Amino acid sequence: MDWLYCQGEPRYKDDFVETLVKSRPSYAARYADAQQVRARQVYFQALEDAIGEMRREGCARRRIRVRITAQVREEAAKPGETIRVHLPLPVGGAQVERVRMLSMRPACGVVGAQDSPLRTVFFEKPYAPGDVFSLEYEYDIVQRYVEPRVEQVLSEQPDLYLQEQPPHIAFTPFIRSLAQQIVGEETNPLSKARRIYDYLTQKVTYSYVRPYMTYTNLPEAMLLSGKGDCGLYALSFITLCRCAGVAARWQSGMAAGPFSVSSHDWAQFYAAPYGWLFADCSFGGAAWREGALKRWDFYFGNLDPFRLPAASAFQQPLRPAMRFLRNDPYDNQTGDAEFESGRVEAEDWLVERELLSIETLAAP
């Protein structure tokens, strides 16, 4: 239960109950909200089904349709003042094969380049009372199954994505010491990454956390406390991998399906001849806690097809850049907005993300 003192009194994070249910199977079994318990069970069964499909067929293909709607809370609106809005859009490449815009409101949105590391649709207009900004689009995602083997990994690996990226991806004395403890004398990059994945999924507990802006170093915050959310898992994995000489990078956006849309972050690491492989320590940790070892093993090297990747790098600028501090300077999963005179605060930015449909596509 994450808490802090505020004027001498303890204040608990508002979603600590969700953290307990999500991270402790014994609490989940006692949860009084039967509908939520059932939804969780159905969700994990859908993941198991998709993972089984990938293992049988070699990949899973989905066409996913999403709607994102956002508006400024009436009390915070500034009629007549120019408003600038960024809403997330799937990045090109990676596992996304096609993005098709179905509707845009208002029609003045500018679609970001496919190769943008943080892709959005940008709106700029004089604000009118009741303005709503929305996107509806569908995209095809192809998630291929890989069973990487240590003995097939090449000795020559590319020299990329190994650098620090302060303030969060930083090789502090603590990070260097921990990376050395985890990987030991191992030299194979796949084995190094696996040891780091095993450590994070087994030793760190999932927990909803405070806004990232309140932390000076996100991986250290997780690794010293033993708890954190999906973004901290991904950053800790990337930082430890790079510190150990394994190329690693960020990918994030949303878990889009099988029944809902929610923000999510994960990582990639490189091992030739396989290329970029996935690591989702958050989903992997959930599988480990539940004793679902096949699913735990799957999320080292693979991802399920229920994803909407909207960023391929961490802490990237929006284009065009915002003039004021973003609500999320590291990502853009729920959009961001600002007026000429200042930003729209998170509590004044009302966002709804809807999963409209998921269609299974046949192999080409």
Side-chain angles (χ1 to χ4, degrees):
M1 296 167 60
D2 196 9
W3 64 278
L4 51 74
Y5 275 118
C6 181
Q7 298 181 347
E9 294 196 4
R11 303 285 181 172
Y12 295 89
K13 194 166 188 314
D14 55 359
D15 51 8
F16 74 86
V17 171
E18 287 81 357
T19 287
L20 292 175
V21 173
K22 189 180 183 77
S23 62
R24 304 288 184 180
S26 60
Y27 280 91
R30 295 163 52 196
Y31 199 24
D33 190 335
Q35 184 175 355
Q36 288 294 328
V37 172
R38 177 57 181 161
R40 182 180 174 87
Q41 293 171 341
V42 173
Y43 179 74
F44 282 123
Q45 185 57 56
L47 292 181
E48 294 283 4
D49 293 343
I51 290 170
E53 174 190 346
M54 290 177 65
R55 286 182 169 137
R56 290 191 310 272
E57 307 296 332
C59 74
R61 298 172 180 270
R62 299 289 188 272
R63 178 166 294 164
I64 301 176
R65 181 175 294 190
V66 170
R67 180 190 296 129
I68 301 175
T69 306
Q71 60 187 120
V72 180
R73 188 167 60 88
E74 184 178 354
E75 294 79 0
K78 300 176 181 179
E81 198 169 309
T82 296
I83 188 172
R84 301 181 184 89
V85 173
H86 285 272
L87 293 182
L89 189 67
V91 295
Q95 60 270 52
V96 175
E97 288 199 342
R98 183 189 72 109
V99 180
R100 180 185 173 208
M101 188 70 66
L102 301 175
S103 69
M104 177 190 302
R105 177 183 176 193
C108 62
V110 178
V111 178
Q114 285 192 358
D115 59 354
S116 172
L118 186 60
R119 194 179 186 201
T120 70
V121 175
F122 173 69
F123 301 88
E124 183 175 20
K125 67 180 295 291
Y127 181 83
D131 266 350
V132 174
F133 301 87
S134 69
L135 302 175
E136 184 175 325
Y137 50 78
E138 66 179 19
Y139 61 98
D140 294 350
I141 190 164
V142 178
Q143 206 69 66
R144 293 177 173 81
Y145 181 66
V146 182
E147 284 190 4
R149 299 184 181 278
V150 170
E151 63 273 15
Q152 295 181 355
V153 173
L154 304 178
S155 57
E156 294 293 327
Q157 297 290 327
D159 183 18
L160 76 173
Y161 290 98
L162 295 170
Q163 74 279 10
E164 295 179 88
Q165 189 181 341
H168 299 293
I169 303 176
F171 305 156
T172 65
F174 169 69
I175 291 293
R176 291 181 186 276
S177 175
L178 182 59
Q180 178 57 44
Q181 290 178 42
I182 295 172
V183 303
E185 300 301 317
E186 186 58 66
T187 59
N188 187 294
L190 183 63
S191 297
K192 288 180 181 179
R194 181 67 201 223
R195 289 190 179 190
I196 293 168
Y197 174 84
D198 290 355
Y199 178 88
L200 291 173
T201 54
Q202 296 178 29
K203 303 297 186 183
V204 179
T205 301
Y206 189 94
S207 175
Y208 293 111
V209 299
R210 307 167 200 171
Y212 285 5
M213 284 191 293
T214 66
Y215 295 91
T216 56
N217 184 304
L218 289 164
E220 285 203 345
M222 166 179 260
L223 295 168
L224 287 168
S225 67
K227 62 182 181 180
D229 70 356
C230 58
L232 272 67
Y233 268 116
L235 278 176
S236 296
F237 179 84
I238 292 167
T239 303
L240 289 169
C241 277
R242 291 188 184 185
C243 191
V246 180
R249 67 186 185 187
W250 174 268
Q251 195 178 76
S252 68
M254 305 170 212
F259 309 108
S260 62
V261 179
S262 59
S263 300
H264 192 48
D265 312 320
W266 55 95
Q268 291 181 288
F269 67 97
Y270 199 96
Y274 299 104
W276 287 107
L277 301 171
F278 293 100
D280 191 330
C281 298
S282 171
F283 275 40
W288 173 263
R289 290 190 299 272
E290 295 169 13
L293 298 186
K294 288 185 178 180
R295 180 160 25 106
W296 170 65
D297 197 55
F298 171 85
Y299 283 109
F300 178 77
N302 296 280
L303 280 185
D304 58 77
F306 306 119
R307 304 289 168 130
L308 192 164
S312 58
F314 182 69
Q315 203 170 347
Q316 294 297 302
L318 292 169
R319 300 188 185 280
M322 292 183 65
R323 301 176 185 181
F324 299 94
L325 181 65
R326 288 152 51 186
N327 287 313
D328 185 354
Y330 314 108
D331 225 330
N332 185 53
Q333 294 157 315
T334 57
D336 228 319
E338 64 182 1
F339 285 104
E340 284 284 348
S341 57
R343 71 176 183 172
V344 178
E345 300 291 342
E347 60 268 25
D348 296 324
W349 185 234
L350 310 178
V351 181
E352 183 179 11
R353 297 174 295 182
E354 302 171 84
L355 178 67
L356 300 179
S357 64
I358 296 182
E359 178 186 353
T360 298
L361 303 178

